[in-house]
Amino acid sequence: MKYISDLILKMSSVDRRWIFLVIALSVILPLYFPLGLPIRPTPTTQQVYDTIDALPHGSKILVSCEYGPSTKPEIHPMVLSVLRHLFKYEHKVYVTCLWPDGQFLASEALDLVGRDEYELTYGEDYVLLGFRPGNEAVVKGIVSDIRKLYTIDAKGTKVTEIPMMNGVNRFEDFDFLFSASAGYPGTIEWVQYAADPTNVPMSTGTTSIQVNEVMPYVAAGQVQGILAGMPGAAEYEALIGVPGIGTSGMDAQSIAHLVIVLFIVLGNVGYLIERNRSKKY
Amino acid sequence: MFGEIFGAWVAVFLTFAIFSFLYKDNPFYKIAEHIFVGVSAGYWTSMFFWTQIQPNLFGRLWPSAQYSDGFWYGIYNFFGMISSSIFPEGGIDKGHDMHLTYLIPFALGIMMLLSLFKKLSWFARWGIAYTVGMAAGLRAYGYLNSNVLGQIRGTIIPLADPDLPMFSLLGASHFNNLIILVGTVTGLLYFFFSKEHKGNFGKVTRVGIYFLMISFGASFGFAVMGRISLLIGRFVELITYSSAQYHHATLWVLVIMVGLLGYSAYNDKDNPETERS
């Protein structure tokens, strides 16, 4: 028994760099040797899917990209999957960005899904309106008069010359909003200044760290479901039947979580043993 | 193709340079840190200027639709001699009409920039005062409507609905609704500081603390999940860039960087100051 407690004590005081190495291995190995762990959609992911699925064909959908390269692994797979789902039902997709980095990531996603996969026409089936600085003021601007804020799209084309912009003057002209958000400004600002005052339904995909913050809006029915981090993206990929980066990362995610839990337990057991010994002597 | 390969090598180098901080602070990390700060500032400034200031501010002050030979466009043409890309010939064509009221935000913006000069820095207060006032007013409404009223509505839930099951792992049930009620009330009472948290009141607020602790635990769990997701994202790219298509960038950069860090550690082994991580 003493040998085991000594071993645990030794392990709990190991150099932190060994822990980093073990975490790195627990992420890399499942990426090379996938385990194929099952992915089951949570009710909040299912809610996002069902809400989008229930929209009438050819609806006007606003997708807002509030993320950057630092959060790309979590949010980008969601955007790709949601775009695939939207384009499948021939919805018209309008993309805005509250983050400057969101613009080129949104452009990348639209080129991949809209142009290459679905062979759709820019300006007729989808449009990238781009980034405007101003945080919640931009959301308010879109709600009151989108044309005042966006006179040109991200390519510099006048919105009056974009066919799919006909009849789009304010936020209420959209049938649905999907906010792909990694922080401020993002989902919460869309709820506060757009969805709640106008009753236009919205769903969101957020980084894991934001989930606790946004979940109360989902529970209160202000947001129709949430894609929670990379697992949310993987679940959505499973629902639309197109596996991507989210799915391939889930094995690594599960194993890494298991290892972290193990470290937490080990650290706490070590602490308890140490405390008991110091009490004894 | 060269650009793509070069980009991959840069991405690999910067990723490993940042990761190298896990070993200890070192010049690779410093290089990556400084590049990140510089590139971010440059990118943001450029995006702000070309998506807002040039089209939406200058575009409203000197629109091409109302171009004339008068004094106002004379000023514009003078600026055009300095930079024709910002002030192109014949006015700015971004679909705007002239709105001279935009001179006010223009002036406030210049006032903000005056904070760079010590003697004139007080001008910046006007710009800041406007921003603070506007943001406070805007947020007050948003918070009141969505966070206060919306959330209160969300917690008004039936406790004796015959259609609801007694227990449910997911979704509404009598038990889950009771937890929402107890959690909301005790959580709010915990932040009621006009009465000392003692006796029965103290016991109730203690329940509130437990709910808060569960929430913090969930937040921590999600934070860990987020960080691991980002790590997976980097590793996926490193694996991609380790292929022959990118001339095994990952392998080469890793070997060179580990070699240099190892050599540096070997040289510093007798110096206790640099050995400390």
Side-chain angles (χ1 to χ4, degrees):
Chain A
M1 190 65 192
K2 191 177 178 302
Y3 172 75
I4 295 170
S5 56
D6 281 347
L7 188 75
I8 291 173
L9 265 180
K10 207 174 170 184
M11 283 174 78
S12 60
S13 60
V14 73
D15 189 329
R16 63 191 162 84
R17 284 174 284 204
W18 287 109
I19 298 173
F20 297 148
L21 189 69
V22 173
I23 299 284
L25 287 174
S26 68
V27 172
I28 293 170
L29 291 176
L31 288 174
Y32 273 110
F33 311 105
L35 303 170
L37 295 172
I39 296 168
R40 291 188 196 92
T42 50
T44 52
T45 306
Q46 186 70 50
Q47 196 185 355
V48 177
Y49 179 85
D50 292 343
T51 308
I52 293 179
D53 221 46
L55 291 167
H57 284 217
S59 294
K60 289 173 181 163
I61 313 294
L62 182 67
V63 175
S64 190
C65 295
E66 291 93 48
Y67 66 103
S70 61
T71 44
K72 188 182 172 188
E74 284 193 281
I75 309 288
H76 204 60
M78 295 175 191
V79 173
L80 295 178
S81 298
V82 167
L83 285 178
R84 284 185 181 114
H85 197 184
L86 293 174
F87 287 139
K88 186 181 160 191
Y89 293 120
E90 296 163 1
H91 295 307
K92 303 289 176 197
V93 175
Y94 304 75
V95 182
T96 57
C97 313
L98 297 180
W99 288 27
D101 335 28
Q103 183 168 311
F104 70 86
L105 289 170
S107 168
E108 192 184 305
L110 286 170
D111 284 349
L112 179 73
V113 182
R115 188 190 63 194
D116 300 342
E117 286 182 19
Y118 284 83
E119 295 175 350
L120 299 172
T121 313
Y122 183 87
E124 288 177 19
D125 303 301
Y126 65 93
V127 65
L128 176 59
L129 293 169
F131 164 73
R132 290 289 180 275
N135 305 333
E136 49 268 71
V138 174
V139 179
K140 281 289 278 181
I142 292 170
V143 170
S144 58
D145 187 355
I146 194 169
R147 283 169 180 271
K148 207 171 171 183
L149 192 69
Y150 287 99
T151 51
I152 50 168
D153 69 353
K155 296 183 176 185
T157 313
K158 285 183 192 168
V159 292
T160 47
E161 293 166 8
I162 298 171
M164 65 185 286
M165 285 302 289
N166 287 337
V168 176
N169 298 305
R170 61 184 70 82
F171 183 67
E172 279 170 286
D173 294 327
F174 295 107
D175 300 300
F176 179 73
L177 160 73
F178 181 81
S179 164
S181 159
Y184 170 81
T187 299
I188 294 174
E189 283 65 39
W190 279 110
V191 175
Q192 290 175 339
Y193 305 107
D196 270 359
T198 59
N199 288 325
V200 172
M202 76 169 280
S203 290
T204 185
T206 68
T207 49
S208 308
I209 211 158
Q210 256 198 302
V211 174
N212 249 21
E213 219 179 328
V214 176
M215 205 49 116
Y217 299 106
V218 180
Q222 292 162 285
V223 176
Q224 311 302 312
I226 179 174
L227 305 182
M230 194 181 254
E235 289 163 14
Y236 209 86
E237 285 171 0
L239 282 169
I240 63 164
V242 184
I245 303 166
T247 308
S248 63
M250 282 322 290
D251 287 342
Q253 185 108 46
S254 306
I255 300 296
H257 284 186
L258 216 63
V259 172
I260 289 168
V261 169
L262 217 66
F263 276 129
I264 291 172
V265 171
L266 214 65
N268 279 282
V269 171
Y271 166 74
L272 287 173
I273 293 170
E274 207 173 83
R275 198 176 68 171
N276 283 344
R277 281 191 183 177
S278 62
K279 268 185 191 169
K280 230 177 196 178
Y281 302 108
Chain B
M1 191 61 196
F2 170 77
E4 199 183 326
I5 293 170
F6 180 72
W9 278 74
V10 172
V12 169
F13 169 75
L14 292 174
T15 304
F16 280 130
I18 293 291
F19 281 165
S20 70
F21 186 74
L22 297 174
Y23 165 60
K24 67 176 186 181
D25 201 359
N26 65 78
F28 292 123
Y29 174 74
K30 287 273 180 251
I31 291 169
E33 192 185 25
H34 288 97
I35 288 175
F36 176 74
V37 172
V39 169
S40 298
Y43 180 73
W44 275 63
T45 309
S46 146
M47 282 294 283
F48 272 58
F49 186 82
W50 289 107
T51 57
Q52 188 76 330
I53 294 173
Q54 202 266 352
N56 282 350
L57 178 62
F58 296 155
R60 280 182 166 105
L61 293 176
W62 293 287
S64 61
Q66 278 142 290
Y67 186 80
S68 65
D69 291 330
F71 170 73
W72 186 239
Y73 278 91
I75 301 171
Y76 176 83
N77 289 333
F78 172 73
F79 287 138
M81 283 193 291
I82 301 166
S83 173
S84 59
S85 56
I86 300 171
F87 303 101
E89 208 181 318
I92 297 167
D93 184 18
K94 300 292 180 187
H96 292 296
D97 290 326
M98 190 186 284
H99 293 281
L100 289 179
T101 48
Y102 278 74
L103 280 170
I104 300 168
F106 189 24
L108 288 171
I110 290 170
M111 284 178 182
M112 294 278 256
L113 289 175
L114 289 176
S115 62
L116 295 169
F117 306 99
K118 211 174 178 181
K119 280 187 179 173
L120 298 171
S121 61
W122 60 273
F123 270 112
R125 289 181 199 157
W126 290 29
I128 292 168
Y130 169 79
T131 311
V132 169
M134 184 272 292
L138 203 59
R139 285 188 184 185
Y141 164 75
Y143 272 92
L144 193 69
N145 187 37
S146 300
N147 292 36
V148 180
L149 298 177
Q151 288 300 302
I152 289 172
R153 267 197 299 270
T155 50
I156 300 171
I157 40 177
L159 285 175
D161 187 344
D163 297 334
L164 284 181
M166 188 53 78
F167 293 101
S168 164
L169 197 59
L170 302 162
S173 71
H174 287 296
F175 184 70
N176 290 356
N177 287 357
L178 194 68
I179 287 179
I180 290 174
L181 179 75
V182 174
T184 307
V185 173
T186 55
L188 282 171
L189 284 176
Y190 174 71
F191 290 102
F192 184 73
F193 300 117
S194 299
K195 187 174 160 58
E196 206 175 348
H197 293 190
K198 274 182 174 176
N200 285 337
F201 184 69
K203 281 174 191 162
V204 172
T205 56
R206 194 146 191 85
V207 176
I209 297 176
Y210 292 138
F211 273 96
L212 290 176
M213 283 164 74
I214 291 168
S215 165
F216 297 148
S219 292
F220 174 74
F222 276 121
V224 170
M225 190 163 90
R227 300 302 170 229
I228 294 296
S229 301
L230 303 185
L231 188 65
I232 292 168
R234 288 325 303 151
F235 281 162
V236 165
E237 295 218 333
L238 288 177
I239 291 168
T240 309
Y241 297 146
S242 66
S243 64
Q245 189 193 343
Y246 296 99
H247 305 291
H248 310 288
T250 305
L251 191 71
W252 282 112
V253 174
L254 181 68
V255 167
I256 293 168
M257 209 176 267
V258 169
L260 287 171
L261 285 173
Y263 178 72
S264 159
Y266 178 76
N267 278 344
D268 292 339
K269 68 177 179 181
D270 297 327
N271 186 350
E273 276 300 304
T274 48
E275 261 303 283
R276 206 181 296 150
S277 58

